[in-house]
Amino acid sequence: MLSSKVTCNSHGQDSSYFLGWEEYEKNPYDEVKNPNGIIQMGLAENQLSFDLLESWLQKNPEIAAFKKHNNDQSIFKELALFQDYHGLPAFKNALVRFMSEIRGNTVTFDPNNLVLTAGATSANETLMFDRDLKWRTGAEIVPIHCSSLNGFRITKPALEDAYKQAEKQNLKVKGVLVTNPSNPLGTSLSLHELDLLVNFISTKNIHLISDEIYSGTVFSYPSFTSIMEVLKNRNLMNTEIAKRVHIVYSLSKDLGLPGFRIGAIYSNDERVVSAATKMSSFGLISSQTQYLLSEILSDKKFTKTYLSENRRRLKQRHEKLVKGLQKTGIRCLQSNAGLYCWVDMRQLLSSDTFEGEMELWLKIVYEVGLNISPGSSCHCSEPGWFRICFANMSEETLAVAMQRVKLFVESIVKKNTQSRHQQLLKRDSRRSKSLPKWVFELSFDHQREVGDER
């Protein structure tokens, strides 16, 4: 018998997010082989700087062959044998240095407080407290509903409302989970928001998990501020509050290596570190992967160049998407990070409802040939917002996508114009039929008199 957790739908596999993926996989776009296929714009993957990594590997072939730098001695056997749950010290040291570098070295991280996991998904589940978080743990997720009126920023009333909503459901709130920079907004949390969160968990005596897997993708002002920096600046590092703050990190987004399954939990609470270390035995990172990444991240010249160039490329690609959408009359939330844009398509909805959003989404997938993510799949409380990814494709493919959007919007505008014109004609026709006969006679006489004067 299969476990009920395996057979239930709480993982969200039947959500619009996954349905879009399924349609893409049935009919994937290819510039030559399938030019009318669906373009994948629902995947937050960074392929813009992959050439930099490949170039490093070409310059350091002995690393990929699992040989030591200073001689030709193979270390394959050493890496292939049993590894400790704690991971390779060299990799953990290199990873915490890289995490500090991303944050401008404003904070430092202790490798002893770091637990390696097979990707950020595993890290989040280990800390849990939907999909990825609630499927096996049974945890309930209560969204913090933010508004487009203030750019979807976190507010104290929004936090309190979410807390009250949980209480109404007889749920005991254990903590708050945020992504910083935000997915799907593409914005880094402000210092004000971070302070609000620290104050909130302090008052409620709960935990805070800050998912910072997009921290290296911040490409414009304002710069990224880690929750650890807030704790440090408020002199809270050695307090009970700091022990209830945890960070999730991964190399899936910053380095574009989701297939390597590199995730990590950072916590100031030794009990959390101890428990997470034991649980990590169910999802370890291979020693070969750790070794390869430790060598790459230890090359400070490379990491500095990579982070700078990656940010430049992300900014350039982001601008292309925003400008491409603007030309069609579609605007995006102003953002400064991430591999996607939060796009406002409310003016294209047939009705201001989530049914209208799903209707529009289906048209975009099947008629336009773009797989994007509707806001409802991200728990957005306002219909008409969509997440569109821009870093997982070539510039040429993005241009094709923008051309498709342009033609789609033009067709909608044309239909709406024709519909309004027909409505006006019907209205004028109804008015004409309702006018008394003498009005038409008077109008005819007037026209005849004007004609005689000419």
Side-chain angles (χ1 to χ4, degrees), residues 30-65:
D30 185 273
E31 185 179 0
V32 178
K33 298 178 181 178
N34 192 22
N36 295 319
I38 296 175
I39 296 174
Q40 175 62 286
M41 304 188 83
L43 176 61
E45 188 172 75
N46 184 9
Q47 297 183 18
L48 300 187
S49 301
F50 211 78
D51 61 304
L52 301 179
L53 289 167
E54 290 181 317
S55 176
W56 189 93
L57 289 171
Q58 289 173 357
K59 293 176 182 176
N60 299 275
E62 73 280 5
I63 303 301

PDB file of all heavy atoms in Angstrom, residues 30-65:
ATOM      1  N   ASP A  30      11.597  25.159 -30.261  1.00  0.00           N
ATOM      2  CA  ASP A  30      12.948  25.049 -30.792  1.00  0.00           C
ATOM      3  C   ASP A  30      13.007  25.934 -32.029  1.00  0.00           C
ATOM      4  O   ASP A  30      12.139  25.840 -32.915  1.00  0.00           O
ATOM      5  CB  ASP A  30      13.296  23.606 -31.159  1.00  0.00           C
ATOM      6  CG  ASP A  30      14.753  23.469 -31.606  1.00  0.00           C
ATOM      7  OD1 ASP A  30      15.017  23.660 -32.815  1.00  0.00           O
ATOM      8  OD2 ASP A  30      15.600  23.185 -30.760  1.00  0.00           O
ATOM      9  N   GLU A  31      14.007  26.799 -32.065  1.00  0.00           N
ATOM     10  CA  GLU A  31      14.109  27.787 -33.141  1.00  0.00           C
ATOM     11  C   GLU A  31      14.060  27.156 -34.527  1.00  0.00           C
ATOM     12  O   GLU A  31      13.474  27.720 -35.460  1.00  0.00           O
ATOM     13  CB  GLU A  31      15.412  28.579 -32.970  1.00  0.00           C
ATOM     14  CG  GLU A  31      15.576  29.711 -33.961  1.00  0.00           C
ATOM     15  CD  GLU A  31      16.862  30.483 -33.734  1.00  0.00           C
ATOM     16  OE1 GLU A  31      17.618  30.134 -32.804  1.00  0.00           O
ATOM     17  OE2 GLU A  31      17.106  31.433 -34.496  1.00  0.00           O
ATOM     18  N   VAL A  32      14.639  25.972 -34.663  1.00  0.00           N
ATOM     19  CA  VAL A  32      14.700  25.303 -35.960  1.00  0.00           C
ATOM     20  C   VAL A  32      13.684  24.166 -36.068  1.00  0.00           C
ATOM     21  O   VAL A  32      12.883  24.108 -37.005  1.00  0.00           O
ATOM     22  CB  VAL A  32      16.118  24.758 -36.227  1.00  0.00           C
ATOM     23  CG1 VAL A  32      16.164  24.010 -37.550  1.00  0.00           C
ATOM     24  CG2 VAL A  32      17.145  25.891 -36.199  1.00  0.00           C
ATOM     25  N   LYS A  33      13.704  23.252 -35.091  1.00  0.00           N
ATOM     26  CA  LYS A  33      12.888  22.047 -35.165  1.00  0.00           C
ATOM     27  C   LYS A  33      11.413  22.275 -34.848  1.00  0.00           C
ATOM     28  O   LYS A  33      10.545  21.578 -35.377  1.00  0.00           O
ATOM     29  CB  LYS A  33      13.456  20.988 -34.222  1.00  0.00           C
ATOM     30  CG  LYS A  33      14.866  20.542 -34.570  1.00  0.00           C
ATOM     31  CD  LYS A  33      15.377  19.523 -33.564  1.00  0.00           C
ATOM     32  CE  LYS A  33      16.805  19.090 -33.883  1.00  0.00           C
ATOM     33  NZ  LYS A  33      17.329  18.132 -32.870  1.00  0.00           N
ATOM     34  N   ASN A  34      11.103  23.233 -33.958  1.00  0.00           N
ATOM     35  CA  ASN A  34       9.709  23.453 -33.561  1.00  0.00           C
ATOM     36  C   ASN A  34       9.469  24.929 -33.248  1.00  0.00           C
ATOM     37  O   ASN A  34       9.243  25.303 -32.097  1.00  0.00           O
ATOM     38  CB  ASN A  34       9.363  22.585 -32.343  1.00  0.00           C
ATOM     39  CG  ASN A  34       7.878  22.555 -32.056  1.00  0.00           C
ATOM     40  OD1 ASN A  34       7.054  22.822 -32.923  1.00  0.00           O
ATOM     41  ND2 ASN A  34       7.522  22.219 -30.827  1.00  0.00           N
ATOM     42  N   PRO A  35       9.504  25.791 -34.275  1.00  0.00           N
ATOM     43  CA  PRO A  35       9.385  27.244 -34.062  1.00  0.00           C
ATOM     44  C   PRO A  35       8.029  27.693 -33.538  1.00  0.00           C
ATOM     45  O   PRO A  35       7.904  28.815 -33.054  1.00  0.00           O
ATOM     46  CB  PRO A  35       9.660  27.817 -35.451  1.00  0.00           C
ATOM     47  CG  PRO A  35       9.316  26.717 -36.397  1.00  0.00           C
ATOM     48  CD  PRO A  35       9.694  25.462 -35.689  1.00  0.00           C
ATOM     49  N   ASN A  36       7.018  26.830 -33.625  1.00  0.00           N
ATOM     50  CA  ASN A  36       5.683  27.183 -33.128  1.00  0.00           C
ATOM     51  C   ASN A  36       5.403  26.574 -31.756  1.00  0.00           C
ATOM     52  O   ASN A  36       4.278  26.659 -31.262  1.00  0.00           O
ATOM     53  CB  ASN A  36       4.609  26.714 -34.120  1.00  0.00           C
ATOM     54  CG  ASN A  36       4.709  27.443 -35.453  1.00  0.00           C
ATOM     55  OD1 ASN A  36       4.939  28.655 -35.496  1.00  0.00           O
ATOM     56  ND2 ASN A  36       4.549  26.705 -36.545  1.00  0.00           N
ATOM     57  N   GLY A  37       6.421  25.964 -31.157  1.00  0.00           N
ATOM     58  CA  GLY A  37       6.250  25.330 -29.860  1.00  0.00           C
ATOM     59  C   GLY A  37       6.108  26.332 -28.729  1.00  0.00           C
ATOM     60  O   GLY A  37       6.195  27.553 -28.911  1.00  0.00           O
ATOM     61  N   ILE A  38       5.887  25.808 -27.519  1.00  0.00           N
ATOM     62  CA  ILE A  38       5.708  26.645 -26.329  1.00  0.00           C
ATOM     63  C   ILE A  38       7.066  27.060 -25.766  1.00  0.00           C
ATOM     64  O   ILE A  38       7.954  26.229 -25.587  1.00  0.00           O
ATOM     65  CB  ILE A  38       4.906  25.886 -25.251  1.00  0.00           C
ATOM     66  CG1 ILE A  38       3.493  25.595 -25.760  1.00  0.00           C
ATOM     67  CG2 ILE A  38       4.850  26.682 -23.942  1.00  0.00           C
ATOM     68  CD1 ILE A  38       2.659  24.751 -24.806  1.00  0.00           C
ATOM     69  N   ILE A  39       7.219  28.350 -25.502  1.00  0.00           N
ATOM     70  CA  ILE A  39       8.450  28.884 -24.923  1.00  0.00           C
ATOM     71  C   ILE A  39       8.348  28.809 -23.401  1.00  0.00           C
ATOM     72  O   ILE A  39       7.358  29.254 -22.815  1.00  0.00           O
ATOM     73  CB  ILE A  39       8.701  30.330 -25.379  1.00  0.00           C
ATOM     74  CG1 ILE A  39       8.919  30.362 -26.899  1.00  0.00           C
ATOM     75  CG2 ILE A  39       9.906  30.940 -24.666  1.00  0.00           C
ATOM     76  CD1 ILE A  39       9.044  31.768 -27.481  1.00  0.00           C
ATOM     77  N   GLN A  40       9.373  28.259 -22.770  1.00  0.00           N
ATOM     78  CA  GLN A  40       9.378  28.064 -21.317  1.00  0.00           C
ATOM     79  C   GLN A  40       9.767  29.364 -20.615  1.00  0.00           C
ATOM     80  O   GLN A  40      10.928  29.757 -20.588  1.00  0.00           O
ATOM     81  CB  GLN A  40      10.344  26.948 -20.944  1.00  0.00           C
ATOM     82  CG  GLN A  40      10.541  26.711 -19.454  1.00  0.00           C
ATOM     83  CD  GLN A  40       9.267  26.299 -18.742  1.00  0.00           C
ATOM     84  OE1 GLN A  40       8.381  27.127 -18.519  1.00  0.00           O
ATOM     85  NE2 GLN A  40       9.175  25.037 -18.382  1.00  0.00           N
ATOM     86  N   MET A  41       8.770  30.039 -20.030  1.00  0.00           N
ATOM     87  CA  MET A  41       9.018  31.261 -19.260  1.00  0.00           C
ATOM     88  C   MET A  41       8.521  31.104 -17.829  1.00  0.00           C
ATOM     89  O   MET A  41       8.318  32.084 -17.116  1.00  0.00           O
ATOM     90  CB  MET A  41       8.350  32.468 -19.939  1.00  0.00           C
ATOM     91  CG  MET A  41       8.780  32.666 -21.384  1.00  0.00           C
ATOM     92  SD  MET A  41       8.196  34.199 -22.126  1.00  0.00           S
ATOM     93  CE  MET A  41       9.446  35.373 -21.541  1.00  0.00           C
ATOM     94  N   GLY A  42       8.357  29.829 -17.411  1.00  0.00           N
ATOM     95  CA  GLY A  42       7.941  29.561 -16.037  1.00  0.00           C
ATOM     96  C   GLY A  42       9.062  28.990 -15.206  1.00  0.00           C
ATOM     97  O   GLY A  42       8.868  28.646 -14.047  1.00  0.00           O
ATOM     98  N   LEU A  43      10.258  28.886 -15.798  1.00  0.00           N
ATOM     99  CA  LEU A  43      11.413  28.285 -15.119  1.00  0.00           C
ATOM    100  C   LEU A  43      12.398  29.359 -14.662  1.00  0.00           C
ATOM    101  O   LEU A  43      13.012  30.032 -15.492  1.00  0.00           O
ATOM    102  CB  LEU A  43      12.112  27.304 -16.066  1.00  0.00           C
ATOM    103  CG  LEU A  43      13.403  26.652 -15.574  1.00  0.00           C
ATOM    104  CD1 LEU A  43      13.140  25.838 -14.311  1.00  0.00           C
ATOM    105  CD2 LEU A  43      14.003  25.783 -16.663  1.00  0.00           C
ATOM    106  N   ALA A  44      12.536  29.514 -13.348  1.00  0.00           N
ATOM    107  CA  ALA A  44      13.475  30.499 -12.784  1.00  0.00           C
ATOM    108  C   ALA A  44      14.861  29.891 -12.747  1.00  0.00           C
ATOM    109  O   ALA A  44      15.353  29.471 -11.703  1.00  0.00           O
ATOM    110  CB  ALA A  44      13.029  30.934 -11.391  1.00  0.00           C
ATOM    111  N   GLU A  45      15.482  29.833 -13.903  1.00  0.00           N
ATOM    112  CA  GLU A  45      16.808  29.235 -14.037  1.00  0.00           C
ATOM    113  C   GLU A  45      17.760  30.244 -14.675  1.00  0.00           C
ATOM    114  O   GLU A  45      17.382  30.944 -15.615  1.00  0.00           O
ATOM    115  CB  GLU A  45      16.706  27.974 -14.902  1.00  0.00           C
ATOM    116  CG  GLU A  45      17.975  27.151 -14.953  1.00  0.00           C
ATOM    117  CD  GLU A  45      17.737  25.822 -15.675  1.00  0.00           C
ATOM    118  OE1 GLU A  45      17.627  25.832 -16.911  1.00  0.00           O
ATOM    119  OE2 GLU A  45      17.644  24.796 -14.984  1.00  0.00           O
ATOM    120  N   ASN A  46      18.971  30.286 -14.178  1.00  0.00           N
ATOM    121  CA  ASN A  46      19.951  31.254 -14.668  1.00  0.00           C
ATOM    122  C   ASN A  46      20.929  30.587 -15.633  1.00  0.00           C
ATOM    123  O   ASN A  46      21.823  29.863 -15.216  1.00  0.00           O
ATOM    124  CB  ASN A  46      20.717  31.863 -13.481  1.00  0.00           C
ATOM    125  CG  ASN A  46      21.686  32.949 -13.928  1.00  0.00           C
ATOM    126  OD1 ASN A  46      21.676  33.370 -15.082  1.00  0.00           O
ATOM    127  ND2 ASN A  46      22.519  33.392 -13.017  1.00  0.00           N
ATOM    128  N   GLN A  47      20.737  30.860 -16.928  1.00  0.00           N
ATOM    129  CA  GLN A  47      21.640  30.320 -17.942  1.00  0.00           C
ATOM    130  C   GLN A  47      22.497  31.413 -18.588  1.00  0.00           C
ATOM    131  O   GLN A  47      23.234  31.145 -19.527  1.00  0.00           O
ATOM    132  CB  GLN A  47      20.827  29.599 -19.035  1.00  0.00           C
ATOM    133  CG  GLN A  47      20.053  28.399 -18.532  1.00  0.00           C
ATOM    134  CD  GLN A  47      19.325  27.676 -19.656  1.00  0.00           C
ATOM    135  OE1 GLN A  47      19.634  27.841 -20.832  1.00  0.00           O
ATOM    136  NE2 GLN A  47      18.335  26.866 -19.299  1.00  0.00           N
ATOM    137  N   LEU A  48      22.385  32.627 -18.055  1.00  0.00           N
ATOM    138  CA  LEU A  48      23.061  33.762 -18.702  1.00  0.00           C
ATOM    139  C   LEU A  48      24.577  33.742 -18.529  1.00  0.00           C
ATOM    140  O   LEU A  48      25.301  34.300 -19.348  1.00  0.00           O
ATOM    141  CB  LEU A  48      22.502  35.081 -18.153  1.00  0.00           C
ATOM    142  CG  LEU A  48      21.007  35.332 -18.362  1.00  0.00           C
ATOM    143  CD1 LEU A  48      20.642  36.739 -17.913  1.00  0.00           C
ATOM    144  CD2 LEU A  48      20.603  35.119 -19.815  1.00  0.00           C
ATOM    145  N   SER A  49      25.065  33.111 -17.472  1.00  0.00           N
ATOM    146  CA  SER A  49      26.506  33.155 -17.196  1.00  0.00           C
ATOM    147  C   SER A  49      27.135  31.775 -17.144  1.00  0.00           C
ATOM    148  O   SER A  49      28.205  31.588 -16.565  1.00  0.00           O
ATOM    149  CB  SER A  49      26.752  33.893 -15.865  1.00  0.00           C
ATOM    150  OG  SER A  49      26.239  35.200 -15.920  1.00  0.00           O
ATOM    151  N   PHE A  50      26.465  30.814 -17.764  1.00  0.00           N
ATOM    152  CA  PHE A  50      26.978  29.447 -17.742  1.00  0.00           C
ATOM    153  C   PHE A  50      28.318  29.331 -18.443  1.00  0.00           C
ATOM    154  O   PHE A  50      29.159  28.500 -18.096  1.00  0.00           O
ATOM    155  CB  PHE A  50      25.966  28.497 -18.392  1.00  0.00           C
ATOM    156  CG  PHE A  50      25.992  27.123 -17.814  1.00  0.00           C
ATOM    157  CD1 PHE A  50      25.387  26.855 -16.600  1.00  0.00           C
ATOM    158  CD2 PHE A  50      26.634  26.086 -18.463  1.00  0.00           C
ATOM    159  CE1 PHE A  50      25.416  25.582 -16.043  1.00  0.00           C
ATOM    160  CE2 PHE A  50      26.676  24.814 -17.925  1.00  0.00           C
ATOM    161  CZ  PHE A  50      26.066  24.561 -16.706  1.00  0.00           C
ATOM    162  N   ASP A  51      28.538  30.191 -19.432  1.00  0.00           N
ATOM    163  CA  ASP A  51      29.803  30.149 -20.176  1.00  0.00           C
ATOM    164  C   ASP A  51      30.998  30.463 -19.277  1.00  0.00           C
ATOM    165  O   ASP A  51      32.113  29.982 -19.517  1.00  0.00           O
ATOM    166  CB  ASP A  51      29.764  31.129 -21.356  1.00  0.00           C
ATOM    167  CG  ASP A  51      29.558  32.563 -20.895  1.00  0.00           C
ATOM    168  OD1 ASP A  51      28.559  32.828 -20.198  1.00  0.00           O
ATOM    169  OD2 ASP A  51      30.399  33.421 -21.236  1.00  0.00           O
ATOM    170  N   LEU A  52      30.772  31.265 -18.234  1.00  0.00           N
ATOM    171  CA  LEU A  52      31.860  31.606 -17.306  1.00  0.00           C
ATOM    172  C   LEU A  52      32.303  30.375 -16.518  1.00  0.00           C
ATOM    173  O   LEU A  52      33.502  30.165 -16.292  1.00  0.00           O
ATOM    174  CB  LEU A  52      31.410  32.714 -16.352  1.00  0.00           C
ATOM    175  CG  LEU A  52      30.968  34.035 -16.995  1.00  0.00           C
ATOM    176  CD1 LEU A  52      30.530  35.021 -15.920  1.00  0.00           C
ATOM    177  CD2 LEU A  52      32.091  34.633 -17.839  1.00  0.00           C
ATOM    178  N   LEU A  53      31.335  29.570 -16.111  1.00  0.00           N
ATOM    179  CA  LEU A  53      31.655  28.339 -15.395  1.00  0.00           C
ATOM    180  C   LEU A  53      32.365  27.338 -16.304  1.00  0.00           C
ATOM    181  O   LEU A  53      33.343  26.699 -15.908  1.00  0.00           O
ATOM    182  CB  LEU A  53      30.375  27.710 -14.839  1.00  0.00           C
ATOM    183  CG  LEU A  53      29.713  28.446 -13.667  1.00  0.00           C
ATOM    184  CD1 LEU A  53      28.311  27.906 -13.422  1.00  0.00           C
ATOM    185  CD2 LEU A  53      30.555  28.319 -12.404  1.00  0.00           C
ATOM    186  N   GLU A  54      31.864  27.217 -17.523  1.00  0.00           N
ATOM    187  CA  GLU A  54      32.480  26.290 -18.473  1.00  0.00           C
ATOM    188  C   GLU A  54      33.915  26.705 -18.797  1.00  0.00           C
ATOM    189  O   GLU A  54      34.811  25.867 -18.948  1.00  0.00           O
ATOM    190  CB  GLU A  54      31.640  26.213 -19.750  1.00  0.00           C
ATOM    191  CG  GLU A  54      30.308  25.518 -19.539  1.00  0.00           C
ATOM    192  CD  GLU A  54      29.482  25.423 -20.804  1.00  0.00           C
ATOM    193  OE1 GLU A  54      29.435  26.431 -21.542  1.00  0.00           O
ATOM    194  OE2 GLU A  54      28.887  24.368 -21.071  1.00  0.00           O
ATOM    195  N   SER A  55      34.120  28.021 -18.882  1.00  0.00           N
ATOM    196  CA  SER A  55      35.467  28.532 -19.153  1.00  0.00           C
ATOM    197  C   SER A  55      36.417  28.180 -18.002  1.00  0.00           C
ATOM    198  O   SER A  55      37.571  27.803 -18.234  1.00  0.00           O
ATOM    199  CB  SER A  55      35.416  30.048 -19.344  1.00  0.00           C
ATOM    200  OG  SER A  55      36.701  30.583 -19.523  1.00  0.00           O
ATOM    201  N   TRP A  56      35.921  28.289 -16.757  1.00  0.00           N
ATOM    202  CA  TRP A  56      36.750  27.954 -15.593  1.00  0.00           C
ATOM    203  C   TRP A  56      37.142  26.483 -15.634  1.00  0.00           C
ATOM    204  O   TRP A  56      38.289  26.124 -15.358  1.00  0.00           O
ATOM    205  CB  TRP A  56      36.000  28.268 -14.301  1.00  0.00           C
ATOM    206  CG  TRP A  56      36.857  28.144 -13.068  1.00  0.00           C
ATOM    207  CD1 TRP A  56      37.562  29.132 -12.451  1.00  0.00           C
ATOM    208  CD2 TRP A  56      37.125  26.934 -12.324  1.00  0.00           C
ATOM    209  NE1 TRP A  56      38.249  28.627 -11.364  1.00  0.00           N
ATOM    210  CE2 TRP A  56      37.996  27.283 -11.262  1.00  0.00           C
ATOM    211  CE3 TRP A  56      36.710  25.616 -12.437  1.00  0.00           C
ATOM    212  CZ2 TRP A  56      38.460  26.355 -10.334  1.00  0.00           C
ATOM    213  CZ3 TRP A  56      37.175  24.677 -11.519  1.00  0.00           C
ATOM    214  CH2 TRP A  56      38.036  25.048 -10.479  1.00  0.00           C
ATOM    215  N   LEU A  57      36.181  25.623 -15.986  1.00  0.00           N
ATOM    216  CA  LEU A  57      36.446  24.187 -16.042  1.00  0.00           C
ATOM    217  C   LEU A  57      37.470  23.847 -17.126  1.00  0.00           C
ATOM    218  O   LEU A  57      38.318  22.958 -16.940  1.00  0.00           O
ATOM    219  CB  LEU A  57      35.146  23.420 -16.299  1.00  0.00           C
ATOM    220  CG  LEU A  57      34.150  23.386 -15.132  1.00  0.00           C
ATOM    221  CD1 LEU A  57      32.824  22.790 -15.569  1.00  0.00           C
ATOM    222  CD2 LEU A  57      34.722  22.609 -13.948  1.00  0.00           C
ATOM    223  N   GLN A  58      37.396  24.561 -18.243  1.00  0.00           N
ATOM    224  CA  GLN A  58      38.361  24.333 -19.323  1.00  0.00           C
ATOM    225  C   GLN A  58      39.771  24.727 -18.903  1.00  0.00           C
ATOM    226  O   GLN A  58      40.757  24.085 -19.295  1.00  0.00           O
ATOM    227  CB  GLN A  58      37.944  25.112 -20.566  1.00  0.00           C
ATOM    228  CG  GLN A  58      36.701  24.547 -21.253  1.00  0.00           C
ATOM    229  CD  GLN A  58      36.206  25.436 -22.378  1.00  0.00           C
ATOM    230  OE1 GLN A  58      36.757  26.514 -22.633  1.00  0.00           O
ATOM    231  NE2 GLN A  58      35.154  24.997 -23.065  1.00  0.00           N
ATOM    232  N   LYS A  59      39.861  25.765 -18.078  1.00  0.00           N
ATOM    233  CA  LYS A  59      41.164  26.225 -17.610  1.00  0.00           C
ATOM    234  C   LYS A  59      41.702  25.351 -16.464  1.00  0.00           C
ATOM    235  O   LYS A  59      42.891  25.403 -16.152  1.00  0.00           O
ATOM    236  CB  LYS A  59      41.072  27.676 -17.148  1.00  0.00           C
ATOM    237  CG  LYS A  59      40.784  28.667 -18.277  1.00  0.00           C
ATOM    238  CD  LYS A  59      40.600  30.069 -17.731  1.00  0.00           C
ATOM    239  CE  LYS A  59      40.267  31.063 -18.846  1.00  0.00           C
ATOM    240  NZ  LYS A  59      39.991  32.419 -18.314  1.00  0.00           N
ATOM    241  N   ASN A  60      40.794  24.605 -15.837  1.00  0.00           N
ATOM    242  CA  ASN A  60      41.191  23.754 -14.703  1.00  0.00           C
ATOM    243  C   ASN A  60      40.714  22.318 -14.925  1.00  0.00           C
ATOM    244  O   ASN A  60      39.913  21.784 -14.138  1.00  0.00           O
ATOM    245  CB  ASN A  60      40.603  24.309 -13.399  1.00  0.00           C
ATOM    246  CG  ASN A  60      41.082  25.715 -13.081  1.00  0.00           C
ATOM    247  OD1 ASN A  60      42.134  25.901 -12.487  1.00  0.00           O
ATOM    248  ND2 ASN A  60      40.298  26.702 -13.484  1.00  0.00           N
ATOM    249  N   PRO A  61      41.176  21.682 -15.975  1.00  0.00           N
ATOM    250  CA  PRO A  61      40.685  20.329 -16.319  1.00  0.00           C
ATOM    251  C   PRO A  61      40.984  19.283 -15.259  1.00  0.00           C
ATOM    252  O   PRO A  61      40.257  18.296 -15.142  1.00  0.00           O
ATOM    253  CB  PRO A  61      41.414  20.015 -17.629  1.00  0.00           C
ATOM    254  CG  PRO A  61      42.658  20.866 -17.578  1.00  0.00           C
ATOM    255  CD  PRO A  61      42.236  22.127 -16.903  1.00  0.00           C
ATOM    256  N   GLU A  62      42.050  19.477 -14.489  1.00  0.00           N
ATOM    257  CA  GLU A  62      42.408  18.473 -13.482  1.00  0.00           C
ATOM    258  C   GLU A  62      41.354  18.394 -12.372  1.00  0.00           C
ATOM    259  O   GLU A  62      41.160  17.338 -11.756  1.00  0.00           O
ATOM    260  CB  GLU A  62      43.784  18.779 -12.885  1.00  0.00           C
ATOM    261  CG  GLU A  62      43.853  19.976 -11.935  1.00  0.00           C
ATOM    262  CD  GLU A  62      43.922  21.315 -12.662  1.00  0.00           C
ATOM    263  OE1 GLU A  62      43.831  21.339 -13.905  1.00  0.00           O
ATOM    264  OE2 GLU A  62      44.071  22.343 -11.979  1.00  0.00           O
ATOM    265  N   ILE A  63      40.651  19.496 -12.123  1.00  0.00           N
ATOM    266  CA  ILE A  63      39.628  19.509 -11.076  1.00  0.00           C
ATOM    267  C   ILE A  63      38.447  18.627 -11.493  1.00  0.00           C
ATOM    268  O   ILE A  63      37.964  17.800 -10.721  1.00  0.00           O
ATOM    269  CB  ILE A  63      39.145  20.940 -10.781  1.00  0.00           C
ATOM    270  CG1 ILE A  63      40.336  21.826 -10.373  1.00  0.00           C
ATOM    271  CG2 ILE A  63      38.082  20.935  -9.692  1.00  0.00           C
ATOM    272  CD1 ILE A  63      41.077  21.339  -9.159  1.00  0.00           C
ATOM    273  N   ALA A  64      37.994  18.821 -12.733  1.00  0.00           N
ATOM    274  CA  ALA A  64      36.871  18.031 -13.232  1.00  0.00           C
ATOM    275  C   ALA A  64      37.236  16.555 -13.345  1.00  0.00           C
ATOM    276  O   ALA A  64      36.374  15.673 -13.298  1.00  0.00           O
ATOM    277  CB  ALA A  64      36.427  18.556 -14.591  1.00  0.00           C
ATOM    278  N   ALA A  65      38.536  16.277 -13.490  1.00  0.00           N
ATOM    279  CA  ALA A  65      39.008  14.891 -13.573  1.00  0.00           C
ATOM    280  C   ALA A  65      39.328  14.328 -12.187  1.00  0.00           C
ATOM    281  O   ALA A  65      39.845  13.220 -12.063  1.00  0.00           O
ATOM    282  CB  ALA A  65      40.248  14.821 -14.456  1.00  0.00           C
TER     283      ALA A  65
END
